[in-house]
Coordinates of all heavy atoms in Angstrom, one line a residue:
I197 N 215.4 126.8 62.1 CA 216.4 127.7 61.6 C 215.9 128.6 60.6 O 214.8 128.3 59.9 CB 217.6 126.8 61.0 CG1 217.0 125.8 59.9 CG2 218.3 126.0 62.1 CD1 218.1 125.0 59.3
K198 N 216.5 129.7 60.4 CA 216.0 130.8 59.5 C 216.3 130.5 58.1 O 217.2 129.8 57.7 CB 216.7 132.1 60.0 CG 216.3 132.6 61.4 CD 216.9 133.9 61.7 CE 216.4 134.4 63.0 NZ 216.7 133.6 64.2
I199 N 215.5 131.2 57.2 CA 215.6 131.0 55.8 C 216.0 132.4 55.1 O 215.4 133.4 55.3 CB 214.3 130.6 55.2 CG1 213.8 129.2 55.7 CG2 214.4 130.5 53.6 CD1 212.4 128.8 55.3
I200 N 217.1 132.3 54.3 CA 217.5 133.5 53.5 C 217.3 133.0 52.1 O 217.6 131.9 51.7 CB 219.0 133.8 53.8 CG1 219.1 134.3 55.2 CG2 219.4 134.9 52.8 CD1 220.6 134.7 55.6
V201 N 216.8 133.9 51.2 CA 216.7 133.6 49.8 C 217.4 134.7 49.0 O 217.2 135.9 49.2 CB 215.2 133.6 49.4 CG1 215.0 133.2 47.9 CG2 214.4 132.6 50.3
E202 N 218.2 134.2 48.0 CA 218.9 135.1 47.1 C 218.0 135.6 46.0 O 217.3 134.7 45.4 CB 220.1 134.4 46.6 CG 220.9 135.3 45.6 CD 222.1 134.5 45.1 OE1 223.1 134.4 45.8 OE2 222.1 134.0 43.9
A203 N 218.1 136.8 45.6 CA 217.3 137.4 44.5 C 218.3 137.9 43.5 O 219.3 138.6 43.8 CB 216.4 138.5 44.9
R204 N 218.1 137.6 42.2 CA 219.0 138.1 41.1 C 218.3 139.2 40.4 O 219.0 139.8 39.5 CB 219.3 136.9 40.2 CG 220.1 135.8 40.8 CD 220.2 134.6 40.0 NE 218.9 133.8 40.0 CZ 218.7 132.6 39.5 NH1 219.7 132.0 38.9 NH2 217.5 132.1 39.6
S205 N 217.1 139.6 40.7 CA 216.4 140.6 39.9 C 215.2 141.1 40.8 O 214.8 140.5 41.8 CB 215.9 140.1 38.6 OG 214.8 139.2 38.8
L206 N 214.7 142.3 40.4 CA 213.5 142.8 41.1 C 212.3 141.9 40.9 O 211.5 141.8 41.9 CB 213.2 144.2 40.6 CG 214.2 145.3 40.9 CD1 213.9 146.6 40.1 CD2 214.3 145.6 42.4
E207 N 212.2 141.2 39.8 CA 211.1 140.3 39.6 C 211.2 139.1 40.6 O 210.2 138.6 41.1 CB 211.2 139.7 38.1 CG 210.8 140.8 37.1 CD 211.9 141.8 36.8 OE1 213.1 141.5 37.1 OE2 211.6 143.0 36.4
E208 N 212.4 138.6 40.8 CA 212.6 137.6 41.8 C 212.2 138.0 43.2 O 211.7 137.2 44.0 CB 214.0 137.0 41.8 CG 214.3 136.2 40.5 CD 215.6 135.4 40.6 OE1 216.4 135.7 41.5 OE2 215.7 134.4 39.8
I209 N 212.5 139.3 43.5 CA 212.1 139.8 44.8 C 210.6 139.8 45.0 O 210.1 139.4 46.0 CB 212.7 141.2 45.0 CG1 214.2 141.1 45.3 CG2 212.0 141.9 46.2 CD1 214.9 142.4 45.5
E210 N 209.9 140.2 43.9 CA 208.5 140.2 43.9 C 208.0 138.8 44.2 O 207.0 138.6 45.0 CB 207.9 140.6 42.6 CG 208.0 142.1 42.3 CD 207.4 142.5 41.0 OE1 207.0 141.6 40.2 OE2 207.4 143.7 40.7
E211 N 208.6 137.8 43.6 CA 208.1 136.4 43.9 C 208.4 135.9 45.3 O 207.6 135.3 45.9 CB 208.7 135.4 42.8 CG 208.2 134.0 43.0 CD 208.7 133.1 41.9 OE1 209.4 133.5 40.9 OE2 208.4 131.8 42.0
I212 N 209.6 136.3 45.8 CA 210.0 135.9 47.1 C 209.0 136.5 48.1 O 208.6 135.8 49.1 CB 211.4 136.4 47.5 CG1 212.5 135.7 46.6 CG2 211.7 136.2 49.0 CD1 213.9 136.3 46.7
L213 N 208.6 137.7 47.9 CA 207.6 138.4 48.8 C 206.3 137.8 48.8 O 205.5 138.0 49.8 CB 207.5 139.9 48.5 CG 208.8 140.7 48.7 CD1 208.7 142.1 48.1 CD2 209.1 140.8 50.2
Q214 N 206.0 137.0 47.8 CA 204.7 136.3 47.8 C 204.7 135.0 48.7 O 203.6 134.4 48.9 CB 204.3 135.9 46.4 CG 204.1 137.1 45.5 CD 204.0 136.7 44.0 OE1 203.9 135.5 43.6 NE2 204.0 137.7 43.1

Side-chain angles (χ1 to χ4, degrees):
I197 55 178
K198 295 178 172 65
I199 300 172
I200 296 177
V201 184
E202 178 182 283
R204 294 167 287 188
S205 67
L206 293 172
E207 291 72 26
E208 288 194 342
I209 287 178
E210 286 182 358
E211 185 174 352
I212 294 170
L213 291 172
Q214 292 170 14

